[in-house]
Amino acid sequence: MKMILVRKFRVLILMVFLIACTMHIMIDLLPKLEKRATRSDGEVGCSCTHNLNDDTQGWVKQRPKNTAESGWPNKHTLRILQDFSSDPSSNLTSHSLEKITGIMDKNESFKKLEHRQIGKDLNSKQLIQDGSIHKPKSGLGYSRLAALFQHPLFKGAIPELTEDDVLFNVNSDIRFNPKAAENQEWQNVANEGNEEGEFLPTGEAHVDSYPNWLKFHIGINRYELYSRHNPAIGALLQDLSSQKITSVAMKSGGTQLKLIMTFQNYGQGLFKPMKQTREQETPPDFFYFSDYERHNAEIAAFHLDRILDFRRVPPVAGRLVNMTKEIRDVTRDKKLWRTFFLSPANNICFYGECSYYCSTEHALCGKPDQIEGSLAAFLPDLSLAKRKTWRNPWRRSYHKRKKAEWEVDFDYCEEVKQTPPYDSGTRLLDLIDMTVFDFLMGNMDRHHYETFEKFGNETFIIHLDNGRGFGKYSHDELSILVPLNQCCRIKKSTYLRLQLLAKEEYQLSKMMEESLEMDKITPILYQPHLEAMDRRLRIILKAIGDCIEKDSYDTVVENDLDSNLSNKTTKR
């Protein structure tokens, strides 16, 4: 009798095990089975022109749609993408569904982006009705921004470039073979351009016919991320706002949700979705490290960096994205796809996976499936151009109670000056530039920064991750200026440009307003943020004036306008 019970128990355990295995198999096969059950016309999801109620019934029965219908991506088709985070611990593998190949997307150079009316029922566009936002003054025929860029302070030439000063050594006779993509669709597109002689009979392409993202990459050098009048930058901004999105994946690492988007021309961008409207300020009780990352701050940071003539922020453009057709239906990221749902208001939402604000309570919802965001151009892949991550000497403690050393030691800068790489070259002055940049934005979240490894210590600082800027317009965070106040050093070129932007003719807020009007999701900044920049600029100039009064002009202001500066050691 006992043996019979033991046998029955074993059979029962075996049956439970088989049932569990069967359920797991069914769960994995469910998306494929349901895909076959969808409509024969192949249309899934919803858009603004569709009736959301019709799509609600089959919402959970749809799986991502991609050109390759055979399933999720093969591991061998994925490549390591560059990491867009300042945190060195987040240099992890991200998914990309395409190879690095290129073809020229024919857009006019620095063509002003066409203004368009975006859905009036978007919460984010309630701001358009606010009378405090100034629209372009048509018919004047005069551009203050163009006049600014024609000023002698924006005409200085960089030193003559050698092979060691460019990130990629590209000769004029180099050809690019689009067949490397191993994609028939790509080859067909390439052949269409043959009418203008862009491709050789062998199928190779001239360097001039490379896509704009690749032109941006090969233009990077020791002194600048892009040149002042590089026509590929304006065209790249147009690509970011209009190129067809072919695949989407979540970016690994980071505290908040970011998406890696791959375009039809094989370029890629980092997408930060809209989390709050432009007029919303960061609550006063929020710590800087728990603040939202704002998409419009990323866009405004690129324009501010360009107006200051630093040119250290990768190109960023705003874009209105269809969450259904341009994210859910093209993603191969299972974890991302499974977070999509339909809200009680019949809006499409998703939340993804991240350390903060990735839950149903903080879901990103469209109206009904349109969402606004920023798209930042990727820097070259880390496997092609390694970058070094540096800890910011004035990094905050990221603790609710503890203070950093620089907050309690006013002579802290003297220690920094004696520490490589701040004891020679222009690194300390570049850090002061970044301090000015961050103070104008109100960005307290500058814990690390990066440089291209190839150029060693004698190169510029890349201004990445600016999403926590422009959070408060009614408060000026003076602690951001501590590096300037403690070191009392600044480049002459930076000082003169700040003085120029304080003049009525070239007022910073007006320059920013005109520059931001070129973006497709304008207005980018709430008017009080523009006014705050003018106020903060006066605070910076006063701080420099106080330093000059205390130490002398020649001690505080470093003459970097000398053509031989690159060969000099910065005075301490």
Side-chain angles (χ1 to χ4, degrees):
M1 185 67 179
K2 184 177 180 181
M3 291 296 296
I4 294 176
L5 291 176
V6 171
R7 290 177 181 176
K8 287 184 177 181
F9 181 74
R10 290 178 178 175
V11 171
L12 180 62
I13 293 296
L14 181 61
M15 291 296 294
V16 171
F17 176 75
L18 291 175
I19 292 173
C21 291
T22 303
M23 291 179 64
H24 279 288
I25 293 173
M26 291 299 295
I27 290 174
D28 286 338
L29 292 178
L30 186 60
K32 291 185 178 181
L33 295 174
E34 291 170 342
K35 176 67 178 180
R36 297 175 182 174
T38 54
R39 299 189 299 269
S40 59
D41 60 6
E43 295 182 1
V44 293
C46 63
S47 65
C48 285
T49 58
H50 289 171
N51 188 335
L52 280 175
N53 293 329
D54 295 340
D55 293 330
T56 305
Q57 298 177 357
W59 172 255
V60 296
K61 297 183 180 181
Q62 299 163 5
R63 56 159 288 179
K65 179 174 63 177
N66 203 291
T67 53
E69 301 257 348
S70 58
W72 302 102
N74 189 301
K75 292 181 180 179
H76 299 293
T77 67
L78 305 177
R79 70 177 177 85
I80 299 177
L81 300 175
Q82 62 87 25
D83 181 73
F84 215 85
S85 172
S86 297
D87 190 347
S89 64
S90 67
N91 288 336
L92 305 175
T93 301
S94 299
H95 295 288
S96 170
L97 308 181
E98 314 295 349
K99 298 180 179 179
I100 297 183
T101 53
I103 184 175
M104 178 177 173
D105 182 28
K106 300 174 184 176
N107 295 311
E108 294 181 9
S109 303
F110 281 107
K111 178 180 179 182
K112 187 172 182 180
L113 301 180
E114 178 185 359
H115 296 293
R116 65 175 182 173
Q117 184 69 25
I118 303 173
K120 291 184 179 180
D121 45 345
L122 278 171
N123 282 343
S124 62
K125 305 314 286 182
Q126 292 175 357
L127 185 60
I128 294 179
Q129 308 302 327
D130 193 322
S132 63
I133 297 298
H134 300 293
K135 287 298 177 182
K137 297 179 181 179
S138 58
L140 295 181
Y142 174 74
S143 168
R144 291 187 180 186
L145 189 63
L148 175 71
F149 290 149
Q150 291 301 316
H151 192 278
L153 285 174
F154 290 80
K155 293 285 190 178
I158 63 173
E160 185 176 352
L161 299 177
T162 65
E163 288 188 0
D164 293 333
D165 294 331
V166 293
L167 192 61
F168 299 113
N169 294 316
V170 181
N171 298 322
S172 59
D173 59 345
I174 286 181
R175 299 293 182 267
F176 175 76
N177 190 349
K179 291 183 179 180
E182 298 180 0
N183 186 314
Q184 187 62 43
E185 180 182 354
W186 169 259
Q187 296 176 36
N188 292 337
V189 174
N191 292 332
E192 290 175 3
N194 213 26
E195 297 177 1
E196 299 183 9
E198 293 176 359
F199 298 101
L200 301 180
T202 59
E204 296 178 336
H206 290 276
V207 173
D208 290 342
S209 64
Y210 281 6
N212 296 307
W213 62 266
L214 189 54
K215 290 180 181 179
F216 162 55
H217 288 178
I218 63 179
I220 299 172
N221 60 63
R222 181 184 299 276
Y223 308 103
E224 57 192 4
L225 200 57
Y226 58 89
S227 62
R228 292 187 184 95
H229 306 294
N230 183 353
I233 302 304
L236 178 56
L237 292 174
Q238 176 72 11
D239 288 349
L240 291 170
S241 62
S242 60
Q243 269 279 328
K244 180 181 179 181
I245 299 169
T246 58
S247 66
V248 177
M250 284 188 294
K251 179 189 175 298
S252 58
T255 59
Q256 300 184 34
L257 179 67
K258 306 177 188 70
L259 301 178
I260 298 170
M261 293 184 169
T262 303
F263 306 118
Q264 191 172 26
N265 68 351
Y266 299 91
Q268 291 180 315
L270 189 73
F271 182 76
K272 289 189 178 181
M274 177 177 178
K275 292 187 174 70
Q276 61 183 40
T277 57
R278 290 154 174 76
E279 70 273 18
Q280 287 180 281
E281 278 197 283
T282 300
D285 291 327
F286 264 41
F287 286 99
Y288 53 89
F289 49 81
S290 60
D291 192 10
Y292 283 120
E293 290 187 14
R294 287 165 284 276
H295 73 298
N296 60 319
E298 293 285 0
I299 302 168
F302 165 72
H303 289 263
L304 175 62
D305 177 81
R306 181 166 165 254
I307 288 172
L308 293 172
D309 201 40
F310 294 155
R311 288 168 285 119
R312 299 166 193 169
V313 175
V316 185
R319 179 162 180 161
L320 194 66
V321 173
N322 185 302
M323 296 164 58
T324 303
K325 293 182 178 180
E326 295 183 301
I327 299 181
R328 196 205 67 187
D329 288 355
V330 298
T331 186
R332 293 184 179 183
D333 191 328
K334 288 183 178 181
K335 292 181 179 179
L336 172 62
W337 183 76
R338 287 171 178 168
T339 65
F340 277 84
F341 64 92
L342 195 66
S343 75
N346 277 344
N347 293 321
I348 308 304
C349 306
F350 75 101
Y351 52 87
E353 289 188 358
C354 62
S355 301
Y356 291 97
Y357 306 126
C358 282
S359 63
T360 52
E361 291 79 11
H362 299 97
L364 303 165
C365 297
K367 294 286 185 175
D369 60 355
Q370 305 291 303
I371 189 169
E372 189 178 294
S374 65
L375 265 167
F378 263 33
L379 292 176
D381 191 283
L382 287 174
S383 63
L384 302 174
K386 293 182 179 180
R387 300 198 302 275
K388 189 170 183 178
T389 302
W390 304 80
R391 181 186 176 95
N392 184 356
W394 281 271
R395 181 184 188 271
R396 296 178 184 275
S397 65
Y398 287 84
H399 193 277
K400 295 181 179 67
R401 291 176 297 277
K402 292 182 180 179
K403 289 187 176 183
E405 184 178 353
W406 58 266
E407 293 181 276
V408 296
D409 181 8
F410 190 77
D411 294 327
Y412 177 77
C413 184
E414 296 303 318
E415 298 179 23
V416 175
K417 289 179 180 179
Q418 300 172 22
T419 306
Y422 308 102
D423 59 342
S424 63
T426 62
R427 181 61 61 85
L428 182 61
L429 295 171
D430 289 338
L431 201 64
I432 300 300
D433 283 348
M434 187 167 64
T435 295
V436 169
F437 175 64
D438 284 336
F439 181 70
L440 290 172
M441 295 190 300
N443 178 27
M444 303 171 65
D445 187 39
R446 189 69 68 184
H447 44 79
H448 289 81
Y449 64 85
E450 295 184 17
T451 59
F452 286 106
E453 192 174 283
K454 177 180 179 179
F455 303 136
N457 293 339
E458 298 298 324
T459 186
F460 63 91
I461 293 173
I462 309 173
H463 297 167
L464 296 177
D465 287 337
N466 306 298
R468 287 197 169 119
F470 298 105
K472 296 180 180 179
Y473 49 78
S474 58
H475 172 72
D476 302 325
E477 185 54 53
L478 297 179
S479 64
I480 301 174
L481 271 188
V482 166
L484 173 61
N485 292 328
Q486 289 184 350
C487 298
C488 274
R489 300 297 305 283
I490 194 168
K491 293 178 182 177
K492 184 175 183 179
S493 61
T494 302
Y495 185 35
L496 294 179
R497 280 193 290 269
L498 292 175
Q499 289 179 315
L500 182 67
L501 292 169
K503 295 181 178 180
E504 180 65 26
E505 184 181 359
Y506 300 108
Q507 191 175 7
L508 177 58
S509 60
K510 299 300 181 184
M511 298 299 99
M512 281 291 291
E513 185 176 28
E514 182 178 340
S515 186
L516 292 172
E517 282 172 350
M518 294 186 292
D519 196 273
K520 283 194 173 181
I521 62 170
T522 189
I524 303 300
L525 289 180
Y526 191 43
Q527 185 66 24
H529 280 299
L530 296 171
E531 297 168 357
M533 280 192 287
D534 289 334
R535 183 178 69 245
R536 291 165 186 166
L537 177 55
R538 292 192 293 270
I539 295 175
I540 294 172
L541 291 175
K542 184 181 184 304
I544 299 172
D546 292 343
C547 285
I548 293 174
E549 184 177 347
K550 181 178 65 174
D551 295 332
S552 80
Y553 183 91
D554 291 337
T555 303
V556 174
V557 181
E558 180 71 27
N559 184 15
D560 65 320
L561 298 177
D562 189 333
S563 59
N564 296 321
L565 177 66
S566 59
N567 298 322
K568 292 182 179 180
T569 299
T570 304
K571 295 181 293 184
R572 295 285 177 252

